[in-house]
Amino acid sequence: MISSRGAHLGAEAARRLAETGLYEFEPGLTDAEFGRIEQEYGFEFADDHRAFLAAGLPVNVPPEEGQTWSRPWPEWRGGDLDSLRRQLDGPVEGVLFDVEHNGFWHESWGERPADGTVALATARHQLAEVPVLVPVYAHRYLPAGRGSFGHPVLSMWQTDVIYYGLDLVDYMHQEFDEARGEVDESWNPRATVPFWKDLL
C-alpha cells in the first residue's frame, strides 16, 4: 500500500513531465510488473517513484547526435536487462571507480588499506550495505524504499553528487522545463539518505 502523499507526488511529477510534450508515454507499470522488477533486482520503489511509473512509462526517443545517453529513461518493461543492471549499479560502480583511480575513501570505512586490491574489496564490501539508489532518468536517482517519498533527486557522477530536485515534482521542473528561471535562493534540498548524503 503506498502512501497518499507519495501517490500524489508521483502523479503530479508525471503530469508535469507530460505537460512538457517532450516524451510519449506507454501505459504505466502494473502491480504485477512492479512485483517482477522488485524481485528481479532486489529493491522496492519509493512511493512517489512507483506512482510516477504507474501513471505512465516515459518512452525514450532516438538520441540526438552527441547525446551521452541513448536510453536515459530506464526501460523497466521489456528493456535490455544488462542495460538496466548497469544503470542500477551505476552509483556504486562510480564510487568504486573513484576508490581505484582517484584515491577516494569514506571515513566510515576505517583506515584505507595500502594494497589497492584490498582497498577496492573493502570498499565493495562496505558499499553492499548502503541504501539502494534507483535510476529515474540517465544518472539522476531516487532512494529505494516502500513507504518513503519526497526525497531529493540526486545526480550521480562517480563521487560527484549534486541535488537535481527538491523532490520528484521539482526535479521534472529542473530537468525538463525549458522556461525555468534561475534557481530560487530559497531552494534548499536536504538529503535524507545515509552514506550518499555525505558525498553531496
Side-chain angles (χ1 to χ4, degrees):
M1 182 70 191
I2 72 170
S3 65
S4 60
R5 178 87 182 107
H8 172 75
L9 273 173
E12 178 63 16
R15 188 184 68 74
R16 282 262 181 110
L17 181 63
E19 278 179 357
T20 67
L22 294 171
Y23 295 96
E24 290 182 15
F25 294 82
E26 290 178 354
L29 293 175
T30 64
D31 286 345
E33 287 176 311
F34 280 115
R36 179 186 55 73
I37 293 161
E38 290 175 339
Q39 186 173 6
E40 172 90 25
Y41 294 105
F43 73 87
E44 291 185 323
F45 287 97
D47 291 1
D48 46 0
H49 197 177
R50 186 183 179 99
F52 171 74
L53 295 170
L57 207 54
V59 177
N60 284 308
V61 294
E64 292 172 19
E65 187 126 358
Q67 194 171 313
T68 312
W69 291 77
S70 60
R71 293 189 174 91
W73 291 109
E75 295 180 330
W76 299 112
R77 178 188 290 134
D80 170 19
L81 295 182
D82 290 343
S83 164
L84 263 177
R85 174 53 70 197
R86 274 194 305 278
Q87 232 172 336
L88 276 161
D89 291 346
V92 164
E93 290 302 320
V95 172
L96 290 172
F97 181 90
D98 276 1
V99 166
E100 187 173 10
H101 300 284
N102 299 315
F104 174 79
W105 195 252
H106 194 270
E107 60 187 23
S108 71
W109 299 346
E111 196 173 327
R112 183 185 175 112
D115 181 300
T117 309
V118 177
L120 198 58
T122 303
R124 190 178 294 281
H125 176 75
Q126 293 287 341
L127 289 164
E129 304 302 315
V130 303
V132 173
L133 295 176
V134 182
V136 175
Y137 176 85
H139 53 102
R140 316 288 192 234
Y141 288 81
L142 274 176
R146 182 75 56 86
S148 70
F149 59 86
H151 294 284
V153 174
L154 302 178
S155 178
M156 323 283 300
W157 197 258
Q158 291 156 225
T159 49
D160 180 12
V161 180
I162 61 171
Y163 291 111
Y164 229 84
L166 293 168
D167 57 25
L168 196 53
V169 176
D170 182 55
Y171 164 70
M172 294 303 158
H173 170 66
Q174 302 298 337
E175 182 86 68
F176 302 107
D177 183 359
E178 292 177 356
R180 73 179 183 279
E182 290 297 305
V183 171
D184 181 344
E185 284 186 12
S186 68
W187 195 79
N188 188 18
R190 292 261 188 259
T192 46
V193 199
F195 178 76
W196 300 109
K197 68 182 180 184
D198 300 344
L199 304 184
L200 284 150

